[in-house]
Amino acid sequence: MASPQVDTESVPEEGYERGLNSRQVQMIAIGGAIGVGLFLGAGANIAKAGPSLIVMYALAGVIIFFIMRALGELLLYRPVSGSFAEYSREFLGPFFGYFTGWTYWLMWVVTGMAELTAAAIYINYWFPAIPQWTSALVFLIILFAANLISVKLFGEIEFWFSMVKVTAIIGMIVIGLGVLTLGFSQAGDTAAVSNLWAFDGFFPKGIGSSLMTLQGVMFAYLAVELVGVTAGESENPEKTLPKAINTLPWRIALFYVGALTVILCVVKWTEFSADASPFVKAFAVIGIPAGAGIVNFVVLTAALSSCNSGMYSTGRMLRNLADNGEAPQVFQRLSSRKTPALGIATSVFFMGIGVVLNYVVPEKAFGYVTSIATAAGIWTWLMILVSHVLYRRRVVAGRLPASSFPAPGGSVCSYIAIAFLLFVTGMIALDADARVCLYVMAGWAVALGIGWSVLKSRNPQVTQRDESRYQKVG
């Protein structure tokens, strides 16, 4: 039976300013798909998997598209700022909304800690005399102020950060294609498409080694779901969100698959190592003098972009939790500029701990931080997919209105993506260095379980499902 279409006009406002225009939402979506994981992390993964890493990024990119189409269908059913936490709450129950909201908050706080430290390290490349903690603190204050002023300023900063990343990748692709076709530069004699298979084949270390890189590949895609958090503040979500999501395949094809293919044609995969950016290496081999400085600037903007996004999303998620009685009620308040100022400030305080930890925590600890962010991100993606499957069941049963942006194949692609994410989790469990994040997440789950028990004893109605807030047919 055909279900009626949901009327997005009837979705209640949450008090936010709908200040993100189409141009900004598009770039937030693009920026979310291009992270430090590509500019830096790809080097280690190339060393592990060789040219087959291209296939891993393409495979993971298809799964990310499935996730985003599932999220897109939910967003056009009910565009709210709480996004995936709200859908978890509606389709799986209050506990899952609580768990997902706090876990997404944790993901961005720990990511913010790592990115602030990374940004300070990148500044040291040009100004080694400046103490690392000073740079981290200055960036923290500037981005905090921007997020407090207005959502429009956040959107504008994110737009330009994303523009820098996009320009750098396109520049690398154009230059690389020039080297391949015209043979100029120092790399002209050795650059060739045959570099993709000439050195021990396309899978030089076996398919097993290639699959083990999937955890690092998925980390590179973290934040692509950020476009969902913008739903409550987009000027015209029913137009801007589908456009942002539908352009995801070509962005992944160009920025990840395209860039890595060109780089691995220009430079033999055997020349890459875990401690160097593949972009820096490619620029060096081509012979661009300022190459290292250019990439350092790009990676700096990528780190600051990630931290900026973290401040934005954590403030909104804390407010959503408070709206549902799952966080202190004080986080419900909006400032005169319609920003969740206290939620942002609290998140920034915890991110600031990263500045302090910079003195006392060994460098390897920040690698653990990024693996924790990956585990939290996988949980978020799983909740999106499971919520989508349950939503589709209710639409088919005629119990909920259909979305104006249905995912292709209904629930089938969501089931495929769920299986893939569980497989990646298995890969993490097999990796001695990465599996620490699963222990941390287990501890986090116990802590949230205790918090839920306390919440239930103090305020039982908060832990019960409120059917009146959700749309129904009939």
Side-chain angles (χ1 to χ4, degrees), residues 11 17 35 63 123 136 158 169 173 187 211 228-229 235 291 306 334 361-362 377 404 457 471:
V11 176
E17 175 190 8
I63 299 301
I123 284 293
E158 202 56 33
I169 293 177
I173 291 172
L211 291 174
V229 184
E235 286 179 351
S306 181
L334 290 178
V361 179
S404 60
S457 64
Q471 302 182 56

Side-chain angles (χ1 to χ4, degrees), residues 185-447:
S185 88
Q186 299 172 11
D189 295 334
T190 55
V193 176
S194 59
N195 283 340
L196 294 177
W197 60 81
F199 302 92
D200 297 323
F202 192 71
F203 288 87
K205 297 194 176 181
I207 293 178
S209 293
S210 300
L211 291 174
M212 287 300 289
T213 64
L214 281 173
Q215 52 182 299
V217 169
M218 295 309 287
F219 173 72
Y221 285 122
L222 280 185
V224 71
E225 75 293 326
L226 183 66
V227 69
V229 184
T230 70
E233 292 169 275
S234 300
E235 286 179 351
N236 195 349
E238 57 270 19
K239 290 184 179 178
T240 56
L241 295 178
K243 186 177 179 183
I245 291 169
N246 276 338
T247 55
L248 189 64
W250 73 257
R251 294 199 304 267
I252 289 173
L254 177 66
F255 300 136
Y256 282 92
V257 178
L260 282 174
T261 300
V262 170
I263 285 174
L264 288 169
C265 287
V266 171
V267 185
K268 303 167 190 174
W269 76 267
T270 52
E271 295 186 29
F272 292 99
S273 61
D275 58 354
S277 163
F279 284 78
V280 171
K281 181 67 178 178
F283 275 127
V285 171
I286 291 170
I288 299 175
I294 292 170
V295 175
N296 194 70
F297 175 71
V298 173
V299 178
L300 172 63
T301 62
L304 294 177
S305 170
S306 181
C307 194
N308 189 42
S309 297
M311 290 182 190
Y312 172 85
S313 58
T314 50
R316 273 72 185 170
M317 202 54 76
L318 278 181
R319 184 173 185 238
N320 179 261
L321 288 163
D323 284 342
N324 289 279
E326 297 159 358
Q329 295 301 293
V330 70
F331 290 128
Q332 281 185 296
R333 298 177 189 167
L334 290 178
S335 70
S336 59
R337 296 179 178 273
K338 297 186 178 180
T339 63
L342 187 60
I344 296 171
T346 302
S347 302
V348 166
F349 170 78
F350 282 99
M351 287 180 191
I353 293 174
V355 180
V356 180
L357 289 176
N358 212 31
Y359 286 108
V360 294
V361 179
E363 195 173 311
K364 194 171 184 180
F366 283 94
Y368 293 150
V369 163
T370 57
S371 68
I372 292 167
T374 305
I378 288 175
W379 172 268
T380 299
W381 292 336
L382 281 171
M383 289 301 97
I384 291 170
L385 294 164
V386 173
S387 297
H388 177 251
V389 168
L390 296 175
Y391 166 70
R392 290 293 309 172
R393 285 183 187 172
R394 295 186 191 185
V395 170
V396 171
R399 293 164 56 197
L400 282 179
S403 170
S404 60
F405 187 48
S411 301
V412 175
C413 292
S414 289
Y415 279 118
I416 294 170
I418 289 169
F420 181 85
L421 291 178
L422 293 176
F423 175 75
V424 172
T425 304
M427 291 291 99
I428 291 174
L430 292 174
D431 189 315
D433 286 334
R435 77 167 68 107
V436 67
C437 72
L438 299 181
Y439 302 141
V440 172
M441 289 304 294
W444 176 249
V446 170

Side-chain angles (χ1 to χ4, degrees), residues 31-265:
I34 309 170
V36 176
L38 172 63
F39 291 110
L40 286 180
N45 288 324
I46 291 171
K48 290 178 185 175
S52 66
L53 184 65
I54 297 168
V55 174
M56 297 302 108
Y57 270 103
L59 176 61
V62 171
I63 299 301
I64 290 295
F65 180 61
F66 290 168
I67 294 169
M68 291 305 293
R69 280 305 302 258
L71 178 59
E73 182 165 0
L74 291 168
L75 286 171
L76 271 293
Y77 149 67
R78 199 159 67 91
V80 289
S81 187
S83 191
F84 17 86
E86 262 300 295
Y87 304 133
S88 300
R89 191 173 287 112
E90 177 175 358
F91 296 108
L92 288 147
F95 174 76
F96 286 92
Y98 158 84
F99 195 102
T100 301
W102 277 112
T103 300
Y104 196 64
W105 178 83
L106 172 72
M107 183 192 98
W108 276 113
V109 165
V110 297
T111 300
M113 287 182 187
E115 301 291 17
L116 278 172
T117 300
I121 292 170
Y122 303 144
I123 284 293
N124 277 2
Y125 174 83
W126 294 298
F127 307 104
I130 297 178
Q132 205 163 289
W133 70 267
T134 305
S135 301
L137 185 61
V138 168
F139 287 137
L140 187 71
I141 292 170
I142 291 172
L143 295 178
F144 176 44
N147 272 271
L148 288 185
I149 291 171
S150 75
V151 69
K152 287 182 179 177
L153 183 58
F154 157 79
E156 200 60 27
I157 290 174
E158 202 56 33
F159 175 85
W160 290 107
F161 278 160
S162 296
M163 187 66 78
V164 169
K165 293 187 282 188
V166 168
T167 303
I169 293 177
I170 292 176
M172 179 69 247
I173 291 172
V174 170
I175 293 170
L177 289 175
V179 172
L180 283 169
T181 55
L182 303 176
F184 66 80
S185 88
Q186 299 172 11
D189 295 334
T190 55
V193 176
S194 59
N195 283 340
L196 294 177
W197 60 81
F199 302 92
D200 297 323
F202 192 71
F203 288 87
K205 297 194 176 181
I207 293 178
S209 293
S210 300
L211 291 174
M212 287 300 289
T213 64
L214 281 173
Q215 52 182 299
V217 169
M218 295 309 287
F219 173 72
Y221 285 122
L222 280 185
V224 71
E225 75 293 326
L226 183 66
V227 69
V229 184
T230 70
E233 292 169 275
S234 300
E235 286 179 351
N236 195 349
E238 57 270 19
K239 290 184 179 178
T240 56
L241 295 178
K243 186 177 179 183
I245 291 169
N246 276 338
T247 55
L248 189 64
W250 73 257
R251 294 199 304 267
I252 289 173
L254 177 66
F255 300 136
Y256 282 92
V257 178
L260 282 174
T261 300
V262 170
I263 285 174
L264 288 169
C265 287

